[in-house]
Amino acid sequence: MADILQAVKGMNDILPPDSARWEWLEDKLRALMRRYGYQNIRTPIVEPTPLFVRGLGQVTDIVEKEMYSFVDAMNGDALTLRPEATAGVVRAAIEHSMLYDGGKRLFYIGAMFRHERPQRGRYRQFHQVGVEALGFGGPEADAEVILMARALWRDLGLTDVRLEINSLGVPEERKAHRAALIAYFEGRAEQLDAEAKRRLHSNPLRILDTKNPAMQDLVNAAPQLSSFLGEASLAHLAVVKLVLDAVGQPYSVNPRLVRGMDYYTHTVFEWISPSLGAQGTICGGGRYDGLVEMIGGKPAPGVGWGMGLERVLDLLQQSGITPPAVVPDAYAVLPDAAALGSAIAVVEALRAAGVAVLMHAGASAGLGSMKSQFKKADASGARHALVFGGDEMAQGMVAIKPLRDAEGSQVLRPLADVPGWAQELRNA
Ligand code: ATP
Ligand code: MG
């Protein structure tokens, strides 16, 4: 036998019955997007590497060490499997002049790739749903996308999720803060760890993000961006807070919430589930008013978020929330292969009428005994068995036998008038 080939480390197969949970979540997501007027966008999984280097910033975890980048051996192009989708969505919006007639509300669902150490909640191929409200500069758009995530928690029945927000202001304010931060950390250089030293001049803001316990006091006493925010930035943040208050959504302002990517301005936020531990951020996002211009478009504002589907599914499982099982309405049992043609014609007519029917199929030895067919019918979870027995068929009938209802009795229905009785089989 040939060697057994396995999936790439950190990249998972999603198999039935688990895949049904994914489809259930995706259905909820699409319904949510419709309610808020967000339209689907599908961009390629592979993009030119410079898109991410320019869009995310050189000194970010993603660009520094997590990208699957390669050279296309056919033509020498530098390509990268998308680690996130905002940069690609913005590239597409510019490339197709999508904003010429005003803002666009967009969403995507798809696979992302990051070369991280695989562990619970952290994979190398994972899946994100995301929204991007492009061309909308006002704080009401920030509030809208935050509230969409909240609506999703409600739709899913999740309660164990809290909101943190912060404002990163505008570039000039960040520049002033950055200078103050560098001065502060330079004066305390002996307390910095190696990573912080490396980031001191390239991305000092990220030092605030450190998980090193030895640096917490130092970081807590560092100059805060909030004291560098001007009137307009404060007003923007105030409206976001006002809306959250108005709808009764609790939040905490976390001055150390900076998010990974360089492109954020004004509002940034995270939805965090305490029960997922270190991988507790299930949704993160913010405003990125400089990104369109950075990628080469006419300046336009934008705000959005990305959410990890694996983490949402993990949280659902932990919260004991299981989607309803997907079962067929009926299972077709076939005592004699001679009836196959007419049985399949009936089953097809039922399916055309919207009834979910699983047709029995045998092993190489044949269709199998009635007993084993009924066992399969039962195991399928179907509510009814359709029995294409010789006697009934001779009368132009098929027998419908209830499988879940011990009281119910078998009825006969005419083969020639499937639409007349098909709806009896539909699950409520
Ligand atoms: P973290 O701090 O956990 O590394 P991040 O800031 O890198 O997250 P984003 O780039 O903002 O995450 O992505 C948005 C969401 O995508 C995260 O909140 C998380 O739910 C999910 N996510 C990010 N990286 C992974 C991964 N490697 N595996 C699974 N989900 C992920
Ligand atoms: Mg990360």
Side-chain angles (χ1 to χ4, degrees), residues 251-321:
Y251 57 88
S252 51
V253 177
N254 175 359
R256 284 174 53 189
L257 180 63
V258 296
R259 306 277 307 128
M261 274 68 98
D262 274 4
Y263 51 54
Y264 288 114
T265 52
H266 288 298
T267 318
V268 289
F269 56 87
E270 288 187 351
W271 287 95
I272 301 164
S273 168
S275 50
L276 290 181
Q279 268 69 250
T281 304
I282 53 179
C283 173
R287 178 162 282 289
Y288 47 82
D289 292 346
L291 183 61
V292 177
E293 195 177 7
M294 259 158 71
I295 294 181
K298 252 192 13 232
V303 58
W305 49 247
M307 183 186 296
L309 296 188
E310 283 83 355
R311 293 188 194 179
V312 174
L313 288 165
D314 190 354
L315 184 58
L316 282 165
Q317 194 151 30
Q318 251 192 62
S319 313
I321 300 167

Side-chain angles (χ1 to χ4, degrees), residues 120-133:
R120 178 177 176 196
R122 200 174 286 289
Y123 309 100
R124 291 181 173 174
Q125 174 174 332
F126 63 102
H127 299 80
Q128 278 185 351
V129 55
V131 298
E132 314 291 356

